[in-house]
Short mmCIF file of all heavy atoms in Angstrom, two decimals:
data_model
loop_
_atom_site.label_atom_id
_atom_site.label_comp_id
_atom_site.label_asym_id
_atom_site.label_seq_id
_atom_site.Cartn_x
_atom_site.Cartn_y
_atom_site.Cartn_z
N PRO A 145 18.48 39.51 32.80
CA PRO A 145 18.21 38.20 33.32
C PRO A 145 16.72 38.00 33.68
O PRO A 145 16.21 36.86 33.69
CB PRO A 145 19.00 38.16 34.65
CG PRO A 145 19.29 39.60 34.97
CD PRO A 145 19.36 40.33 33.70
N ASN A 146 15.97 39.09 33.82
CA ASN A 146 14.53 38.94 33.99
C ASN A 146 13.84 38.43 32.70
O ASN A 146 12.92 37.61 32.75
CB ASN A 146 13.86 40.31 34.42
CG ASN A 146 13.06 40.16 35.68
OD1 ASN A 146 12.83 39.11 36.20
ND2 ASN A 146 12.55 41.32 36.07
N ILE A 147 14.30 38.96 31.55
CA ILE A 147 13.81 38.51 30.23
C ILE A 147 14.15 37.01 30.14
O ILE A 147 13.23 36.17 29.68
CB ILE A 147 14.42 39.25 29.12
CG1 ILE A 147 13.96 40.71 29.13
CG2 ILE A 147 14.10 38.61 27.75
CD1 ILE A 147 14.70 41.62 28.13
N ALA A 148 15.36 36.71 30.51
CA ALA A 148 15.77 35.30 30.34
C ALA A 148 14.91 34.35 31.18
O ALA A 148 14.50 33.24 30.63
CB ALA A 148 17.25 35.14 30.66
N ARG A 149 14.70 34.69 32.36
CA ARG A 149 13.99 33.74 33.24
C ARG A 149 12.49 33.67 32.84
O ARG A 149 11.86 32.56 32.96
CB ARG A 149 14.04 34.15 34.76
CG ARG A 149 13.43 35.37 35.19
CD ARG A 149 13.54 35.56 36.68
NE ARG A 149 12.87 36.80 37.12
CZ ARG A 149 12.20 36.85 38.31
NH1 ARG A 149 12.05 35.81 39.05
NH2 ARG A 149 11.59 37.99 38.66
N LEU A 150 11.93 34.72 32.32
CA LEU A 150 10.56 34.64 31.86
C LEU A 150 10.38 33.79 30.61
O LEU A 150 9.56 32.84 30.53
CB LEU A 150 9.96 36.01 31.60
CG LEU A 150 8.62 36.10 30.97
CD1 LEU A 150 7.58 35.34 31.83
CD2 LEU A 150 8.12 37.52 30.68
N LEU A 151 11.28 34.01 29.58
CA LEU A 151 11.17 33.28 28.39
C LEU A 151 11.45 31.84 28.57
O LEU A 151 10.85 30.88 27.94
CB LEU A 151 12.09 33.88 27.34
CG LEU A 151 11.73 35.30 26.83
CD1 LEU A 151 12.71 35.73 25.84
CD2 LEU A 151 10.30 35.34 26.30
N ALA A 152 12.39 31.49 29.48
CA ALA A 152 12.79 30.09 29.79
C ALA A 152 11.65 29.39 30.52
O ALA A 152 11.51 28.12 30.40
CB ALA A 152 14.08 30.06 30.60
N SER A 153 10.78 30.13 31.16
CA SER A 153 9.70 29.53 31.87
C SER A 153 8.34 29.72 31.19
O SER A 153 7.23 29.55 31.78
CB SER A 153 9.60 30.02 33.28
OG SER A 153 9.34 31.46 33.26
N LEU A 154 8.33 30.05 29.92
CA LEU A 154 7.16 30.40 29.15
C LEU A 154 6.06 29.33 29.17
O LEU A 154 4.84 29.58 29.16
CB LEU A 154 7.49 30.77 27.74
CG LEU A 154 6.36 31.32 26.84
CD1 LEU A 154 5.79 32.58 27.39
CD2 LEU A 154 6.87 31.56 25.44
N GLY A 155 6.50 28.07 29.27
CA GLY A 155 5.50 26.98 29.31
C GLY A 155 4.58 27.06 30.47
O GLY A 155 3.44 26.48 30.41
N GLU A 156 4.93 27.75 31.50
CA GLU A 156 4.08 27.88 32.69
C GLU A 156 2.86 28.81 32.53
O GLU A 156 1.97 28.86 33.39
CB GLU A 156 4.91 28.29 33.90
CG GLU A 156 4.26 28.10 35.28
CD GLU A 156 5.03 27.14 36.09
OE1 GLU A 156 5.79 26.34 35.60
OE2 GLU A 156 4.87 27.16 37.34
N TYR A 157 2.85 29.52 31.42
CA TYR A 157 1.86 30.56 31.24
C TYR A 157 0.80 30.25 30.24
O TYR A 157 -0.14 31.03 30.01
CB TYR A 157 2.55 31.87 30.83
CG TYR A 157 3.51 32.43 31.89
CD1 TYR A 157 4.82 31.86 32.04
CD2 TYR A 157 3.12 33.39 32.78
CE1 TYR A 157 5.66 32.34 33.02
CE2 TYR A 157 3.97 33.88 33.72
CZ TYR A 157 5.23 33.35 33.85
OH TYR A 157 6.11 33.76 34.81
N ILE A 158 0.83 29.03 29.72
CA ILE A 158 -0.06 28.72 28.58
C ILE A 158 -1.39 28.17 29.02
O ILE A 158 -2.44 28.54 28.52
CB ILE A 158 0.66 27.68 27.64
CG1 ILE A 158 1.94 28.33 27.11
CG2 ILE A 158 -0.27 27.30 26.44
CD1 ILE A 158 2.77 27.32 26.30
N TYR A 159 -1.35 27.26 30.01
CA TYR A 159 -2.60 26.54 30.43
C TYR A 159 -2.79 26.60 31.88
O TYR A 159 -1.83 26.76 32.69
CB TYR A 159 -2.51 25.03 30.09
CG TYR A 159 -2.22 24.76 28.59
CD1 TYR A 159 -0.98 24.34 28.25
CD2 TYR A 159 -3.30 24.78 27.69
CE1 TYR A 159 -0.76 24.04 26.88
CE2 TYR A 159 -3.02 24.47 26.34
CZ TYR A 159 -1.76 24.09 25.97
OH TYR A 159 -1.57 23.78 24.67
N SER A 160 -4.04 26.49 32.36
CA SER A 160 -4.33 26.22 33.77
C SER A 160 -5.60 25.31 33.78
O SER A 160 -6.27 25.15 32.82
CB SER A 160 -4.58 27.55 34.53
OG SER A 160 -5.73 28.23 34.01
N VAL A 161 -5.78 24.70 34.95
CA VAL A 161 -6.87 23.80 35.15
C VAL A 161 -7.68 24.20 36.37
O VAL A 161 -7.15 24.52 37.45
CB VAL A 161 -6.34 22.35 35.41
CG1 VAL A 161 -7.45 21.41 35.70
CG2 VAL A 161 -5.55 21.95 34.19
N GLN A 162 -8.97 24.16 36.22
CA GLN A 162 -9.92 24.30 37.33
C GLN A 162 -11.03 23.30 37.22
O GLN A 162 -11.72 23.19 36.20
CB GLN A 162 -10.54 25.74 37.37
CG GLN A 162 -11.47 25.96 38.50
CD GLN A 162 -12.17 27.36 38.51
OE1 GLN A 162 -12.59 27.80 37.41
NE2 GLN A 162 -12.32 27.96 39.64
N ASP A 163 -11.16 22.52 38.26
CA ASP A 163 -12.15 21.46 38.30
C ASP A 163 -12.10 20.60 37.02
O ASP A 163 -11.07 19.89 36.77
CB ASP A 163 -13.61 22.07 38.48
CG ASP A 163 -13.75 22.79 39.74
OD1 ASP A 163 -13.09 22.42 40.71
OD2 ASP A 163 -14.55 23.74 39.77
N LYS A 164 -13.11 20.61 36.17
CA LYS A 164 -13.16 19.83 35.02
C LYS A 164 -12.82 20.48 33.66
O LYS A 164 -13.26 20.11 32.67
CB LYS A 164 -14.52 19.13 34.88
CG LYS A 164 -14.89 18.23 36.07
CD LYS A 164 -16.25 17.60 35.87
CE LYS A 164 -16.53 16.61 36.98
NZ LYS A 164 -17.90 15.96 36.81
N THR A 165 -12.12 21.63 33.76
CA THR A 165 -11.90 22.46 32.64
C THR A 165 -10.37 22.80 32.48
O THR A 165 -9.74 23.20 33.47
CB THR A 165 -12.70 23.77 32.69
OG1 THR A 165 -14.08 23.45 32.81
CG2 THR A 165 -12.52 24.57 31.41
N VAL A 166 -9.85 22.65 31.24
CA VAL A 166 -8.57 23.11 30.92
C VAL A 166 -8.64 24.45 30.17
O VAL A 166 -9.34 24.51 29.18
CB VAL A 166 -7.84 22.10 30.01
CG1 VAL A 166 -6.43 22.67 29.57
CG2 VAL A 166 -7.69 20.80 30.70
N TYR A 167 -7.99 25.47 30.68
CA TYR A 167 -8.03 26.79 30.06
C TYR A 167 -6.76 26.96 29.23
O TYR A 167 -5.64 26.72 29.67
CB TYR A 167 -8.14 27.88 31.14
CG TYR A 167 -9.50 27.89 31.79
CD1 TYR A 167 -9.76 27.15 32.88
CD2 TYR A 167 -10.45 28.82 31.31
CE1 TYR A 167 -11.06 27.17 33.47
CE2 TYR A 167 -11.76 28.83 31.89
CZ TYR A 167 -12.05 28.04 32.97
OH TYR A 167 -13.31 28.09 33.52
N THR A 168 -6.94 27.51 28.01
CA THR A 168 -5.90 27.81 27.13
C THR A 168 -5.75 29.35 27.15
O THR A 168 -6.69 30.04 26.57
CB THR A 168 -6.18 27.30 25.71
OG1 THR A 168 -6.27 25.92 25.74
CG2 THR A 168 -4.89 27.67 24.82
N HIS A 169 -4.72 29.88 27.69
CA HIS A 169 -4.52 31.36 27.79
C HIS A 169 -3.69 31.94 26.62
O HIS A 169 -3.95 33.04 26.11
CB HIS A 169 -3.86 31.69 29.10
CG HIS A 169 -4.50 31.15 30.32
ND1 HIS A 169 -5.88 31.36 30.57
CD2 HIS A 169 -4.08 30.30 31.27
CE1 HIS A 169 -6.14 30.78 31.74
NE2 HIS A 169 -5.10 30.05 32.16
N LEU A 170 -2.73 31.13 26.16
CA LEU A 170 -1.79 31.61 25.09
C LEU A 170 -1.83 30.60 24.00
O LEU A 170 -1.82 29.35 24.25
CB LEU A 170 -0.41 31.82 25.59
CG LEU A 170 -0.21 32.91 26.68
CD1 LEU A 170 1.20 32.94 27.19
CD2 LEU A 170 -0.55 34.29 26.18
N TYR A 171 -1.84 31.00 22.76
CA TYR A 171 -1.76 30.09 21.66
C TYR A 171 -0.35 29.90 21.23
O TYR A 171 0.15 30.66 20.30
CB TYR A 171 -2.69 30.61 20.54
CG TYR A 171 -4.09 30.47 20.93
CD1 TYR A 171 -4.97 31.64 21.06
CD2 TYR A 171 -4.72 29.32 21.24
CE1 TYR A 171 -6.26 31.56 21.39
CE2 TYR A 171 -6.05 29.21 21.65
CZ TYR A 171 -6.76 30.36 21.73
OH TYR A 171 -8.10 30.25 22.17
N ILE A 172 0.30 28.94 21.82
CA ILE A 172 1.73 28.62 21.60
C ILE A 172 1.84 27.14 21.36
O ILE A 172 1.44 26.35 22.14
CB ILE A 172 2.59 29.06 22.82
CG1 ILE A 172 2.51 30.61 22.96
CG2 ILE A 172 4.00 28.57 22.64
CD1 ILE A 172 3.30 31.18 24.19
N GLY A 173 2.39 26.73 20.25
CA GLY A 173 2.48 25.32 19.85
C GLY A 173 3.31 24.45 20.80
O GLY A 173 4.29 24.98 21.45
N GLY A 174 2.91 23.20 20.85
CA GLY A 174 3.69 22.27 21.75
C GLY A 174 2.75 21.16 22.31
O GLY A 174 1.63 20.98 21.80
N GLU A 175 3.26 20.45 23.25
CA GLU A 175 2.47 19.44 23.97
C GLU A 175 2.44 19.74 25.40
O GLU A 175 3.46 20.21 25.98
CB GLU A 175 3.10 18.10 23.72
CG GLU A 175 3.11 17.62 22.30
CD GLU A 175 3.58 16.20 22.15
OE1 GLU A 175 3.83 15.53 23.14
OE2 GLU A 175 3.75 15.74 20.99
N ALA A 176 1.28 19.31 26.03
CA ALA A 176 1.14 19.48 27.49
C ALA A 176 0.52 18.21 28.07
O ALA A 176 -0.52 17.77 27.60
CB ALA A 176 0.28 20.74 27.82
N ALA A 177 1.17 17.70 29.13
CA ALA A 177 0.58 16.60 29.87
C ALA A 177 -0.21 17.08 30.98
O ALA A 177 0.35 17.70 31.91
CB ALA A 177 1.72 15.64 30.40
N ILE A 178 -1.51 16.94 30.89
CA ILE A 178 -2.43 17.60 31.84
C ILE A 178 -3.32 16.58 32.56
O ILE A 178 -3.79 15.63 31.89
CB ILE A 178 -3.32 18.59 31.05
CG1 ILE A 178 -2.42 19.63 30.39
CG2 ILE A 178 -4.29 19.29 32.03
CD1 ILE A 178 -3.18 20.55 29.45
N GLU A 179 -3.58 16.78 33.84
CA GLU A 179 -4.52 15.99 34.51
C GLU A 179 -5.74 16.83 34.81
O GLU A 179 -5.66 17.90 35.44
CB GLU A 179 -3.96 15.46 35.84
CG GLU A 179 -4.89 14.48 36.52
CD GLU A 179 -4.38 13.76 37.74
OE1 GLU A 179 -3.10 13.67 37.78
OE2 GLU A 179 -5.10 13.18 38.56
N VAL A 180 -6.90 16.45 34.32
CA VAL A 180 -8.13 17.14 34.49
C VAL A 180 -9.19 16.18 34.81
O VAL A 180 -9.42 15.12 34.14
CB VAL A 180 -8.43 18.05 33.27
CG1 VAL A 180 -8.51 17.21 31.99
CG2 VAL A 180 -9.80 18.86 33.50
N ALA A 181 -10.02 16.51 35.79
CA ALA A 181 -11.16 15.62 36.17
C ALA A 181 -10.80 14.18 36.37
O ALA A 181 -11.47 13.25 36.03
CB ALA A 181 -12.27 15.73 35.12
N GLY A 182 -9.59 14.06 37.01
CA GLY A 182 -9.13 12.70 37.34
C GLY A 182 -8.56 11.95 36.14
O GLY A 182 -8.20 10.77 36.27
N THR A 183 -8.45 12.60 34.96
CA THR A 183 -8.03 11.99 33.72
C THR A 183 -6.68 12.52 33.31
O THR A 183 -6.53 13.82 33.32
CB THR A 183 -9.03 12.17 32.59
OG1 THR A 183 -10.27 11.60 32.97
CG2 THR A 183 -8.55 11.55 31.33
N LYS A 184 -5.71 11.70 32.96
CA LYS A 184 -4.50 12.15 32.45
C LYS A 184 -4.58 12.22 30.94
O LYS A 184 -5.06 11.23 30.28
CB LYS A 184 -3.36 11.22 32.85
CG LYS A 184 -3.00 11.28 34.34
CD LYS A 184 -1.87 10.37 34.73
CE LYS A 184 -1.52 10.50 36.24
NZ LYS A 184 -0.41 9.63 36.57
N MET A 185 -4.24 13.31 30.36
CA MET A 185 -4.33 13.49 28.92
C MET A 185 -3.17 14.34 28.37
O MET A 185 -2.58 15.06 29.14
CB MET A 185 -5.70 14.10 28.56
CG MET A 185 -5.86 15.51 28.94
SD MET A 185 -5.53 16.70 27.64
CE MET A 185 -6.73 17.99 28.04
#
């Protein structure tokens, strides 16, 4: 079940945001709705 919960939540591990920068940690295809520097993109 630990494997299941990690893989099911994988989307949480791809990007993070600090101030005016979006960080890409993992190269996994898909779409992300992100707010950065007051901008929704």
Side-chain angles (χ1 to χ4, degrees):
N146 232 358
I147 294 172
R149 69 176 181 140
L150 174 58
L151 295 180
S153 62
L154 186 59
E156 196 116 340
Y157 296 81
I158 301 173
Y159 304 102
S160 64
V161 176
Q162 183 185 36
D163 297 332
K164 297 182 178 181
T165 304
V166 178
Y167 287 88
T168 303
H169 307 303
L170 298 173
Y171 292 117
I172 296 176
E175 295 185 7
I178 301 171
E179 184 170 345
V180 56
T183 299
K184 292 183 179 179
M185 66 100 147

